[in-house]
Each structure stands twice: as C-alpha cells, then as structure tokens.
Amino acid sequence: MDTPKRRRSATRARLLEGALEVFAERGFHGASVEDICDRAGFTRGAFYSNFSSKDELALALFQATTDRLLEQIGALLPDLANQPGTLLDAVLGLLDDAAPDQRQWHLISTEFTLHALRDPDAAEALVRQRRLFRERLTELVEEITKTSGLRLSVPAEQFVRLVIAVHEGARSQSLLEPAEVPAGSLEHTFLPMVLASVSRS
Amino acid sequence: MDTPKRRRSATRARLLEGALEVFAERGFHGASVEDICDRAGFTRGAFYSNFSSKDELALALFQATTDRLLEQIGALLPDLANQPGTLLDAVLGLLDDAAPDQRQWHLISTEFTLHALRDPDAAEALVRQRRLFRERLTELVEEITKTSGLRLSVPAEQFVRLVIAVHEGARSQSLLEPAEVPAGSLEHTFLPMVLASVSRS
C-alpha cells in the first residue's frame, strides 16, 4: 500500500541516490541543493522536508553505507566463525561492498572529510559515524580471532584503523593509476603480513 | 643585486606561499586567482606572468615539495648507508618533512587529487609528479637495503606505495582524531612489521 510513510521513505531514497551522483560529478561544494532536487525529480520543498541541509544529507549517505555494512556483518558472522582464515578477506570484502561504486564513494567521502577538517560540526558528526563503522569492524575481528583461538598483540581496533588507512590510501592510488595499482592489490599483498605479525595462537 | 630574474623568483615564491594558505582555508575550488593575488600582495598581471592557471600553480606547489624532498634525500644518503636500521625512520621522516604544515598540505594535496580524478589533464600532471616522488623514495630504499645486505621479497616500489598509502590514510585519521591517532602512530606501529616480513638478509 502506498502509505505516506512509504512515500516519504522513497523520496528520501531518491534524494540520496541523486545526491550520490551529483556530489561525485560536481563535488560536495559544487553541488547545490537545487542540482540534487533536479536530479532526483523533486522540489526544494521535498528536500527540506527530509533534510535540514546538504551536510545532513551527506551524513545520511555515510549512515546508509554504515547500515549496509552492519547488515552484511550480521549475515556473514555465523559462517565466518567456521572459517577463521578468511578474516582479512571478510574485512576487506566488507569495505569494498559497503560502497557499490568505489570511485563515486571515494570522491564523496574524501570530499566530506576535507569539509569536516574545516568545519567542527561536520567533524563531530563524521567522527561519530566513522567510530560506529570502526567499532563494528573491530567486533568482527574480535569475534573471529576469539573463535579461531588467536590472540592479537595489538588492540583489534588499532589493526582495524590500519586496515582502513591502507584501504583509503590505496584506493586513491588505484583510482589515479588503475593499471599500476589494481584495486585491492596493496591490501592483499601486505595486510596478511601484518596479521601474521600480530597473531599468536 | 636585485635583478629582474631574482625579483621574478621572489614573486613566484610569494604567490606559492599565498596559494598554500588560501587553498588550505577555502579549498582549491573555493580559492580564486584574485584571492591568491590579494594574499600575496600582487596583481593578476603578476600572477599570469608566472602561472598560466590555478592548476599550474597547484602543480608548482607539488613540485616545490618534491624538490625539497630530493634535496633532503641527497643530504641524508651518505649517513643512512651506515645506519641501515633507520630505513623506515628515514622514509617516514622525509614524508613528514616534505611538508612543513601537515594539515595544510593534507587539505591541498587531497583536494587536488580529487580534482585530478575528475580532470584528465590534471590527473596526467599529478601522476607524473607522484611518480617522480615515488621513484626517488624507491631509490632510497634500494640504496639502503643494498648497503645493508638485505633483499626485499617484493619490489621496493611496492613497499614505497604501501608506505605512502598508510601515511596518507593515517594522516586523515590523525587530523580528524588527533588524540586517538597521534601523527605517525599507525606507521610506526605497523610498517616495521611489514619491513621485517619482506626482508631477507
């Protein structure tokens, strides 16, 4: 049934989808609320009844990514517990799958991070969302290492921070030089070495 | 003596310095040529007799950073050959010292990289400059490992790519959460493990 609540949720989803495209094309600062409304086929009234600002919409995009990640972790956990060797593949796979389009997501998330480095309110919101994302990945790592009888010589969260740093840094190189740095190549070459170094059974 | 050539070089240096500040404050796209001229105390005429565009000026900033790095490598090499244990410290130190202000440099270099991901000409120029930077670091790594009788099980350039990826990814976390991720902490915790994994004597 086409209830008002369902319509509202569909409007929101289309605005998010439109914003993802427009941000990737024109940048966070270059994209206006009007551009996003045009792309999604809505009026500015529809926009402002869903989001108070462009910042709030960008944060909703991050939230949607985090939510998708949480769902995927929930679905994966039961299987992973029986295949501890796949810890890194699981974590890296989640980072890749969290965003359907890596180029688009890199542009948007990097740009919003730069915005946050100049705007304390955006920084607070972004740090909160990144923390949530990191905490879930940390739980996943802890769960798998526990199940497989491994202990890490560093806090699991530090390891997750490293994985995120390598992933984000490598993605930038892959997008600039796709032939020289195939997506995921640095992560898959070097992170298993780190995991072996910090693991004790 | 205040020759025309020396004046020109001083004008260029002041424009670069002004651009560094204005880019960091307003972003690459937010900063106009006029803003940069105002900050440096020059007319637009002076700007355009030194740089054909804002892009060219941004690339000159990268070039200046690379040049500083090359000088530092040249100065360090004779000493490092006798202290092979300091390989990583040397490489990480160079990455840190190449930019006097990490926050400013992160904002500018990340933003120009995003610009390059949308503009093929900027991408070509940036890839060329990053390659030069990477090749010099690779020579440094090769020189030190050779002198110290070590062999790497991966190409030195791959290791350098990892160091750059970790450095850039970690810097983003450090700037967002300085108390939780002190600058350099992820690099110094994890990169020695990777170096140990890929080294054979």
Side-chain angles (χ1 to χ4, degrees):
Chain A
M1 214 175 68
D2 191 20
T3 63
K5 195 177 161 194
R6 192 174 294 177
R7 265 203 306 279
R8 186 180 157 82
S9 153
T11 305
R12 219 180 129 86
R14 271 173 58 193
L15 283 167
L16 285 172
E17 211 176 302
L20 197 63
E21 292 176 16
V22 175
F23 283 160
E25 284 166 22
R26 298 179 209 174
F28 177 72
H29 292 291
S32 67
V33 167
E34 200 137 26
D35 293 334
I36 297 167
C37 293
D38 284 353
R39 183 67 57 99
F42 288 113
T43 61
R44 287 166 61 98
F47 182 96
Y48 286 111
S49 76
N50 279 281
F51 302 103
S52 66
S53 64
K54 209 166 61 166
D55 271 47
E56 197 186 293
L57 179 144
L59 286 164
L61 280 175
F62 280 87
Q63 186 68 53
T65 307
T66 310
D67 287 349
R68 199 161 43 232
L69 184 76
L70 292 180
E71 252 178 57
Q72 289 169 335
I73 291 180
L76 277 177
L77 260 184
D79 284 345
L80 285 173
N82 303 316
Q83 301 170 287
T86 59
L87 168 60
L88 264 177
D89 289 336
V91 173
L92 290 174
L94 283 171
L95 286 173
D96 284 338
D97 297 345
D101 180 327
Q102 286 292 314
R103 180 177 178 279
Q104 230 179 30
W105 183 242
H106 182 78
L107 287 169
I108 294 166
S109 61
T110 308
E111 208 142 40
F112 193 78
T113 303
L114 292 178
H115 170 53
L117 289 175
R118 295 186 175 103
D119 179 319
D121 287 342
E124 199 190 316
L126 180 63
V127 164
R128 200 164 46 233
Q129 289 218 340
R130 287 185 68 110
R131 184 176 300 133
L132 182 64
F133 179 95
R134 202 171 54 242
E135 281 172 356
R136 291 300 168 275
L137 279 185
T138 301
E139 282 171 20
L140 174 70
V141 169
E142 283 169 344
E143 180 76 20
I144 299 178
T145 49
K146 204 178 77 183
T147 312
S148 57
L150 288 176
R151 277 186 312 149
L152 299 184
S153 60
V154 295
E157 189 179 7
Q158 279 295 99
F159 179 68
V160 167
R161 280 195 182 276
L162 174 76
V163 174
I164 293 173
V166 175
H167 182 68
E168 293 183 347
R171 191 172 55 194
S172 176
Q173 294 185 41
S174 296
L175 290 170
L176 273 178
E177 299 164 276
E180 298 191 47
V181 189
S185 58
L186 289 177
E187 295 94 312
H188 285 285
T189 301
F190 292 107
L191 287 174
M193 299 176 186
V194 176
L195 186 60
S197 293
V198 300
S199 296
R200 290 183 295 225
S201 55
Chain B
M1 213 175 70
D2 192 20
T3 63
K5 196 177 160 194
R6 193 175 293 176
R7 268 203 305 279
R8 189 181 154 82
S9 155
T11 306
R12 220 181 130 86
R14 271 170 60 193
L15 283 167
L16 285 172
E17 211 177 300
L20 198 64
E21 291 175 19
V22 175
F23 283 160
E25 284 166 24
R26 300 179 207 171
F28 176 73
H29 292 291
S32 68
V33 167
E34 201 137 23
D35 293 333
I36 296 167
C37 293
D38 284 353
R39 183 65 57 99
F42 288 113
T43 60
R44 287 166 61 97
F47 182 95
Y48 285 110
S49 75
N50 279 280
F51 302 104
S52 66
S53 65
K54 209 166 61 167
D55 271 49
E56 199 188 292
L57 180 144
L59 286 164
L61 281 174
F62 280 88
Q63 187 67 54
T65 308
T66 309
D67 287 349
R68 200 161 41 234
L69 183 76
L70 291 181
E71 253 178 57
Q72 289 168 337
I73 291 180
L76 277 177
L77 259 184
D79 284 346
L80 284 172
N82 304 315
Q83 300 169 288
T86 57
L87 169 60
L88 263 176
D89 289 336
V91 174
L92 291 174
L94 283 171
L95 287 173
D96 283 338
D97 296 345
D101 180 327
Q102 287 292 315
R103 180 177 178 279
Q104 231 180 27
W105 183 243
H106 182 79
L107 288 169
I108 294 166
S109 61
T110 308
E111 207 142 39
F112 193 79
T113 304
L114 292 178
H115 170 52
L117 289 175
R118 294 185 177 104
D119 180 318
D121 288 340
E124 200 190 316
L126 180 63
V127 164
R128 201 164 45 233
Q129 290 219 337
R130 287 184 66 111
R131 183 177 301 133
L132 183 63
F133 180 94
R134 203 171 56 241
E135 282 173 355
R136 292 300 169 275
L137 280 184
T138 302
E139 282 172 19
L140 174 69
V141 169
E142 283 169 345
E143 180 76 20
I144 299 177
T145 48
K146 204 179 76 182
T147 311
S148 58
L150 287 177
R151 278 188 312 150
L152 299 183
S153 60
V154 295
E157 189 178 7
Q158 278 296 100
F159 179 67
V160 167
R161 280 196 181 276
L162 174 76
V163 173
I164 293 172
V166 175
H167 182 68
E168 294 183 347
R171 190 172 56 194
S172 175
Q173 294 185 41
S174 295
L175 290 170
L176 274 177
E177 300 164 275
E180 297 191 48
V181 189
S185 58
L186 289 177
E187 293 94 313
H188 285 284
T189 302
F190 292 107
L191 287 174
M193 298 176 186
V194 176
L195 186 60
S197 292
V198 300
S199 297
R200 289 182 297 224
S201 54

